[in-house]
Amino acid sequence: MFVCGAALAQKPEPKYRLTVEAPTKEQREMLGKGLQLARWQDDPQMTPELLRRLADEAVLEARQALAADGYFSALVSYSIDRDVTPWSVVIQVEPGTRATVASVDIAFSGPATADPDAAKLLRQVRAEWLLRPGMPFTQEAWNEAKREAVRKLSSWRYATARIASSRARVDAQASSAALEVTLDSGPPFVFGNAAVRGVERYPGAVAANLSPVIPGTTYDREVLELYTRRLLETGYFAGARVELAPEAIADGQAPVQVSVIEGHSQNIEGGVSFTTDRGLRLEAAHRNVDLFNTAWRGRSQVRWDDLTQEARYDLDAPPLPGARWWNGFAAVKNEVIQNEENFEL
């Protein structure tokens, strides 16, 4: 008789089992998985002294985790029963009342405060602040609100905007938080020249001609996002990243760094479906964005079912300056509508 030793191996019995008693499922799961106490249940060398030390630490960990979730007056206790096997550890949680935002004070510093053109942007930062009075206060929401405020302020002219200072004054008895944040705009920026990296198969002009960046104009993140979309929509690139390089400023202008990852020059797609009114439907498409190694782009499409038969071929030239290109196509379509056949060429 052959017995597989691996089959006889069993997971060791846990030294103790942890149970978290809390009002909500989210709190039970958060503490049940996040406490250090939860990670040592299978330690065969666990002792009563070490277990009690871990339980004492778990009380502090739980209070900190609940405070980050807005519960600043939480009561946490534990009980240990060593008369059962495995031992039983129960964490009892009374979270109390979750704090809400009582007030928000947003201040600004830096050159933007004296810039009349930036006044609208500063008003938008205040108007679009995410964590508003009356909303539940959590550390995550507080951090997200600050990140979004910086992102908004740095979207135009002031690319290096940052948090200068921030404070959440919590009143545990009143279950409230007064928020104070100061945003520093940093210096204004204008665009410099764009430099493209990562182009190997295609001429450098392919990416450069798609650029909407005009050197000497005010920095605007939407311009960089437009450039990114243009690069990806051409089909030449599988990835693209366009960003300002404020640390490389020269002659008052910050260059734009463009990094691209070239994709496959050819792609084939196909699909099969069935509907009761059209029957079996077949679709196929082929794209080649580097015809004869010239960066010309061709795409052929075929659709076929009982009611519609269609074929089309598109031919696009490489991008010209200003993100323009020549396009030509040929198409043929035969379709049956209300028992009447229509043919287009």
Side-chain angles (χ1 to χ4, degrees):
M1 180 178 67
F2 175 76
V3 178
C4 179
L8 298 178
Q10 295 182 356
K11 184 178 179 179
E13 186 74 15
K15 192 68 174 181
Y16 63 89
R17 294 190 186 279
L18 173 64
T19 302
V20 177
E21 296 180 351
T24 70
K25 178 181 178 181
E26 291 76 12
Q27 292 167 347
R28 292 192 293 271
E29 291 182 348
M30 174 182 68
L31 299 177
K33 297 177 181 178
L35 297 176
Q36 288 287 341
L37 187 62
R39 304 171 188 174
W40 294 92
Q41 297 179 76
D42 298 329
D43 185 357
Q45 299 183 4
M46 181 61 60
T47 64
E49 294 76 13
L50 179 57
L51 179 59
R52 184 170 295 280
R53 190 185 314 153
L54 287 172
D56 288 336
E57 294 174 356
V59 171
L60 298 177
E61 292 174 16
R63 287 175 179 167
Q64 292 172 352
L66 291 165
D69 208 28
Y71 297 95
F72 295 98
S73 57
L75 299 178
V76 182
S77 60
Y78 68 86
S79 61
I80 298 176
D81 185 354
R82 295 199 302 273
D83 292 333
V84 296
T85 305
W87 299 336
S88 172
V89 182
V90 179
I91 301 291
Q92 297 100 6
V93 176
E94 297 179 20
T97 303
R98 182 183 242 170
T100 57
V101 177
S103 62
V104 179
D105 182 11
I106 303 174
F108 299 96
S109 62
T113 59
D115 181 356
D117 293 335
K120 180 180 178 181
L121 178 61
L122 302 188
R123 290 195 298 270
Q124 288 178 335
V125 172
R126 283 195 173 100
E128 296 176 12
W129 175 260
L130 295 180
L131 192 54
R132 311 186 74 81
M135 296 178 65
F137 175 84
T138 68
Q139 190 63 47
E140 181 179 359
W142 173 223
N143 291 339
E144 179 67 14
K146 290 186 287 185
R147 281 194 299 267
E148 285 302 306
V150 170
R151 176 174 171 77
K152 181 65 179 178
L153 182 57
S154 64
S155 66
W156 179 82
R157 186 169 285 179
Y158 298 96
T160 57
R162 64 182 183 87
I163 297 290
S165 64
S166 66
R167 180 172 65 167
R169 294 188 291 108
V170 175
D171 186 335
Q173 292 185 341
S175 299
S176 66
L179 310 182
E180 301 171 0
V181 59
T182 299
L183 303 171
D184 182 75
S185 68
F189 288 92
V190 298
F191 283 129
N193 293 317
V196 181
R197 297 180 298 179
V199 177
E200 298 178 359
R201 180 187 302 133
Y202 309 109
V206 165
N209 288 345
L210 294 169
S211 175
V213 175
I214 302 175
T217 59
T218 297
Y219 159 77
D220 189 332
R221 185 186 295 133
E222 289 187 359
V223 174
L224 304 186
E225 292 174 349
L226 172 61
Y227 195 0
T228 303
R229 290 196 301 271
R230 286 179 176 179
L231 290 166
L232 295 176
E233 288 170 356
T234 61
Y236 294 125
F237 308 110
R241 182 174 182 176
V242 183
E243 56 189 351
L244 195 73
E247 70 285 352
I249 191 169
D251 298 326
Q253 297 182 350
V256 174
Q257 294 181 346
V258 184
S259 301
V260 296
I261 300 174
E262 294 179 339
H264 297 295
S265 61
Q266 299 195 53
N267 181 61
I268 298 176
E269 299 176 356
V272 179
S273 60
F274 180 85
T275 60
T276 56
D277 57 338
R278 291 182 173 269
L280 185 66
R281 180 179 179 88
L282 304 176
E283 297 183 69
H286 173 256
R287 183 193 67 185
N288 186 341
V289 297
D290 195 21
L291 291 168
F292 307 109
N293 299 320
T294 62
W296 280 71
R297 293 165 290 166
R299 178 177 173 83
S300 55
Q301 296 175 279
V302 177
R303 297 186 179 93
W304 193 281
D305 58 44
D306 291 346
L307 300 182
T308 303
Q309 300 85 46
E310 180 181 9
R312 178 184 173 111
Y313 187 82
D314 286 88
L315 182 64
D316 295 330
L320 300 170
R324 300 175 294 110
W325 57 81
W326 297 103
N327 168 267
F329 72 92
V332 59
K333 183 177 183 180
N334 186 69
E335 189 171 28
V336 177
I337 301 176
Q338 295 181 349
N339 297 322
E340 183 175 324
E341 188 171 1
N342 297 277
F343 181 78
E344 300 176 11
L345 180 61

